[in-house]
Amino acid sequence: MRAALWLVALFGVAVASALLAGGNQSTVTVFWAPYRLDVSLNLALAVLVLVFITVHLAWRALSALLDLPHQARRWRLQQKERAMHAAFLEALTQWMSGRYLRAVKSAQQVLQLEELLAATRTLADPAPRHALQLRALAHLIAAESAQALRDREGRDMHFQSALALAEQHPGEAMREALDAAKLGAARWSLSDRDAPQALHWLDSLPLGTARRTLSLRMRLKATRLNRQYALALETARLLTKHGAFAVTAAHSLVRELAIASLNDAHDSAQLQRAWDALEPNEQAVPEVVLHAAQRMLYLSGQAESVMPWLTPLWNRMVQQADSCTPAIRQRVVQLLSHALGRMPADAEWLASIDRARQVYPRWVELQYLAGMVCWQHALWGKAQQMLELAAPQLTDAELQRQAWRTLAQLAEHKEETARAQMYWKRAAEVAAA
């Protein structure tokens, strides 16, 4: 449609020009004493247009001729700028391919070309795009390559140059370069096993950069290296929310850090605070619950403190048979046996254990636990019956040894010396194995 309109307009202009030129009888008289020149108006207009075009073309040709030195100067600056970009790409490629010595040389070439451009450029010349950013990144590439070559002096020199450049020229691009420099410094500190210095650089990052996955991963490594397990656990939670780990790996990492944070407690009050700091899903992990209960028994010896932790795990174990592995069941039974042994006799627990033993008759650990609780309730006959059935079948050495010891004590209580000696001998054989 537009082309058709242009064509119609062109035809209109042609028709108007033909009508004006064909029927125009006007003349133009030029007096040049003592001469007089009469020409038609059409010819005068044509001559004026021709003169204008000639003058215009001559003026442009003269301007182009006078601009040749400036064009040549800009061309030379452009060639230097292209050489600088090419050297930067070479430095980046060589650094990524592991050719660190060549990467350092190419980065230094970038810096030299940038200095040459800055020295030869005048105010009239256009400034190269991204010159400062290229200079900062060249310093960082040289620093990374020097770190790989174990040249700490060269690394620190280029790193300080990049920091100074970023601080002298604030801007979005230079802020990103500054963040990259600090992340690189944190990574170098982790490589040198210097966790406090790595945390120093990570703490100096802006909030947005500090919450990136790369920053959080380095913070996790630094806090674990510095044995700050509570902070490491918090960082691991953030990484898990960001999807930085697979589900299985995240579960294993959080479990490990939760246990390590519990190990940092040196008394029962600190352990209780560390337990309260855990999230509900972490408090439901069997390994974490068992470790917390075991450590609380070790620090305070108060069974009443661990029963609120063990009771939900026990209920889940007897209600959902596949929720706990045999190893977890053995640890649950062992801790419950120790905890209930330090508490007054509880008929409700005895009834609960007896019901679980009837539901899962193949779980030998429950027979052992029932025997130990019966022994604590002074039910000697039933305790002996349960323990004699369970002791030969137990696979855990600690549980089996404790079962034989209890049977030996029961035999001594009944003054059955020969039987007691046999049980003590079996307990000693388990200990020796």
Side-chain angles (χ1 to χ4, degrees):
M1 184 66 183
R2 183 178 298 179
L5 292 176
W6 273 108
L7 186 60
V8 171
L10 182 60
F11 272 108
V13 172
V15 170
S17 300
L19 291 175
L20 178 63
N24 190 2
Q25 302 296 327
S26 302
T27 59
V28 176
T29 302
V30 178
F31 293 94
W32 190 279
Y35 303 104
R36 172 182 173 177
L37 181 63
D38 294 326
V39 295
S40 65
L41 178 62
N42 294 340
L43 179 59
L45 293 176
V47 170
L48 286 177
V49 171
L50 182 61
V51 170
F52 175 78
I53 293 175
T54 304
V55 172
H56 177 71
L57 292 177
W59 179 259
R60 291 194 61 180
L62 182 61
S63 298
L65 181 63
L66 295 177
D67 196 48
L68 280 178
H70 301 287
Q71 291 286 350
R73 179 183 180 81
R74 283 196 293 268
W75 181 83
R76 288 193 296 267
L77 290 176
Q78 188 180 38
Q79 293 301 111
K80 290 184 176 63
E81 184 178 354
R82 289 179 177 177
M84 180 180 66
H85 283 85
F88 176 78
L89 292 177
E90 288 181 3
L92 182 61
T93 304
Q94 289 161 356
W95 170 62
M96 296 181 67
S97 61
R99 308 179 77 171
Y100 301 115
L101 190 59
R102 294 191 179 186
V104 172
K105 293 181 179 179
S106 298
Q108 291 175 347
Q109 184 181 1
V110 173
L111 298 174
Q112 292 172 0
L113 289 172
E114 198 276 335
E115 291 178 357
L116 181 61
L117 276 173
T120 57
R121 189 174 63 85
T122 62
L123 295 177
D125 297 323
R129 297 186 61 185
H130 315 300
L132 293 175
Q133 189 177 3
L134 281 176
R135 184 175 184 83
L137 293 179
H139 278 300
L140 291 181
I141 292 176
E144 291 283 359
S145 301
Q147 166 69 13
L149 295 172
R150 299 184 180 275
D151 181 12
R152 295 190 177 184
E153 183 178 354
R155 179 198 71 184
D156 294 339
M157 180 189 67
H158 286 288
F159 173 67
Q160 294 299 331
S161 299
L163 286 183
L165 187 64
E167 292 174 356
Q168 292 173 3
H169 303 277
E172 183 64 27
M174 297 308 293
R175 281 197 297 269
E176 292 291 338
L178 181 61
D179 293 344
K182 292 180 178 180
L183 288 172
R187 186 169 56 253
W188 303 334
S189 299
L190 287 176
S191 178
D192 296 336
R193 309 289 293 179
D194 189 355
Q197 186 65 26
L199 290 173
H200 165 73
W201 289 116
L202 292 173
D203 291 338
S204 65
L205 292 171
L207 182 60
T209 307
R211 294 182 68 86
R212 294 173 185 169
T213 302
L214 176 62
S215 305
L216 292 176
R217 283 182 181 274
M218 286 194 287
R219 183 176 293 276
L220 176 61
K221 292 180 181 179
T223 49
R224 294 181 70 183
L225 184 61
N226 207 32
R227 299 183 180 278
Q228 297 176 341
Y229 295 113
L231 294 177
L233 179 58
E234 183 178 355
T235 306
R237 292 168 182 162
L238 289 175
L239 284 170
T240 303
K241 291 179 181 179
H242 291 177
F245 304 115
V247 177
T248 305
H251 181 77
S252 176
L253 178 62
V254 171
R255 180 181 67 240
E256 176 189 347
L257 292 175
I259 292 174
S261 66
L262 295 174
N263 286 334
D264 285 341
H266 301 291
D267 55 46
S268 58
Q270 290 181 356
L271 182 61
Q272 185 64 48
R273 287 196 296 270
W275 173 263
D276 293 337
L278 299 179
E279 294 185 351
N281 60 329
E282 297 165 358
Q283 293 178 350
V285 178
E287 292 85 353
V288 177
V289 177
L290 294 173
H291 188 82
Q294 183 178 2
R295 188 151 181 82
M296 179 62 79
L297 288 176
Y298 172 77
L299 292 175
S300 66
Q302 299 177 359
E304 293 80 1
S305 302
V306 303
M307 293 310 295
W309 302 346
L310 291 176
T311 302
L313 181 59
W314 164 262
N315 293 333
R316 188 165 74 247
M317 184 184 75
V318 297
Q319 292 172 5
Q320 302 175 7
D322 56 348
S323 62
C324 296
T325 62
I328 296 296
R329 287 204 307 267
Q330 293 174 2
R331 292 186 61 187
V332 172
V333 166
Q334 184 178 9
L335 283 174
L336 278 176
S337 175
H338 290 169
L340 292 174
R342 301 182 184 186
M343 294 173 57
D346 191 339
E348 293 183 2
W349 267 104
L350 179 60
S352 176
I353 294 170
D354 192 60
R355 287 195 300 270
R357 182 181 60 83
Q358 294 176 4
V359 174
Y360 305 104
R362 294 186 179 182
W363 289 7
V364 185
E365 300 87 357
L366 296 181
Q367 295 181 5
Y368 163 82
L369 182 59
M372 295 298 295
V373 175
C374 288
W375 178 61
Q376 295 159 9
H377 284 71
L379 301 175
W380 314 121
K382 190 172 182 181
Q384 182 177 1
Q385 178 185 3
M386 293 291 102
L387 291 176
E388 285 180 346
L389 291 174
Q393 304 178 51
L394 289 171
T395 57
D396 184 78
E398 180 62 27
L399 295 181
Q400 192 176 38
R401 183 166 54 249
Q402 186 60 37
W404 291 124
R405 287 175 179 174
T406 306
L407 286 172
Q409 293 174 3
L410 286 172
E412 289 178 348
H413 180 74
K414 294 180 179 181
E415 298 182 354
E416 298 177 354
T417 307
R419 183 183 292 272
Q421 290 179 353
M422 179 185 67
Y423 290 147
W424 283 118
K425 181 180 179 181
R426 292 185 179 181
E429 291 175 350
V430 173

